[in-house]
Amino acid sequence: MLYPRMNANLWLLRSCRDMPTYRHLKGWSPHAPGEVIRLRLRQSEREILVRAGTSDTAVVWEVFQDREYDVDGQWPFRTVLDLGANVGIFMAFALSRAGRGRLERYVAVEPDRESFAMLQRQVESQGAQGFSTLFNVAAAGQNGTVRFNNTLESYARRIDPAAGEPCEARTVSTILDDAGLAGVDLLKLDIEGGEQAVLADMPAWRDRVKAIVCELHDPLDPAWFARTVRACGFEPFESGEWFHGLAGAVRDDQRSLVTPRVKVRPGQSAGHMPGAGASPLG
């Protein structure tokens, strides 16, 4: 435990622009639950918004300190479809990695109303309004209406046929059409078990997506992900082989996106990201 904590403390010292950010990420910040906190990290040109007393801060650790969505070398994605955008912390990371002016389009889908409201504020905080399109709907395998369970922790809210409120659902193809996009470089997929339905519809949109990064949730596993994407002409990668902490896949005709050090091996399976956790200092 000492070594990870030491690394986490070193990251804080290198990354925090001010003491309020440092104190909050250390867990020393006495904010009321739900209060919006403005984090100032050196990795992000603009402030990153989180809500006290929620999983938002743990997501900051995962995305910015663990760099689960990062790849080695230059960030190759200029257009992103973010399914399960939550409060937009991945968006802030993608913008920091791509560089201002190089992330050309950001399309986000988030069905939870509270998280969607924060996502809107996050986009404004990051100065990304001009190239962002946000949808307060659920991503699914078919268009229609689903039930969305918003009684869980914000990061774990999901489609649940047995509980929740009615929510509009759209397929990847419909979302891209509504955003006015022919396709995207990267599909980020983190929808708390809904990955199965979205990827079952993959034959309908495979030609419109160049690469996928996916957090898998039980009962889905890396072998299932690998079989699914291979059947649609994508090559899967284990966690750490391309994306630092998540399963990834690239369309067979887009392998130039992959960092050269990654070797594509026949029979390779994709990894998965561990569940959201607490700060490494906790």
Side-chain angles (χ1 to χ4, degrees), residues 34 161 256 273:
S256 62
M273 179 182 114

Side-chain angles (χ1 to χ4, degrees), residues 14-28:
R14 291 193 304 265
S15 298
C16 296
R17 292 178 181 267
D18 59 22
M19 282 305 297
T21 297
Y22 180 86
R23 286 195 297 268
H24 180 74
L25 290 175
K26 281 284 271 187
W28 297 344

Side-chain angles (χ1 to χ4, degrees), residues 26 29 39 44 67 72 76 80 91 93 111 118 121 129 146 149 171 206 208 226 231 247-248 253:
K26 281 284 271 187
S29 185
L39 301 181
S44 177
R67 297 166 58 212
D72 288 343
V80 174
M91 180 271 298
F93 175 80
M118 272 295 291
R121 293 183 63 176
Q129 305 96 311
V146 296
N149 188 340
T171 65
R206 65 166 300 281
R208 304 178 72 175
D253 62 349

Side-chain angles (χ1 to χ4, degrees), residues 109 135 137-147 159 167-178 197-198 201 204-205 208:
V109 171
F135 296 108
V137 302
Q142 59 184 12
N143 295 322
T145 301
V146 296
R147 289 195 171 274
I159 293 174
C167 176
E168 181 182 354
R170 299 184 194 173
T171 65
V172 169
S173 297
T174 299
I175 293 163
L176 291 174
D177 288 344
D178 291 347
V198 169
D201 187 45
W205 49 261
R208 304 178 72 175

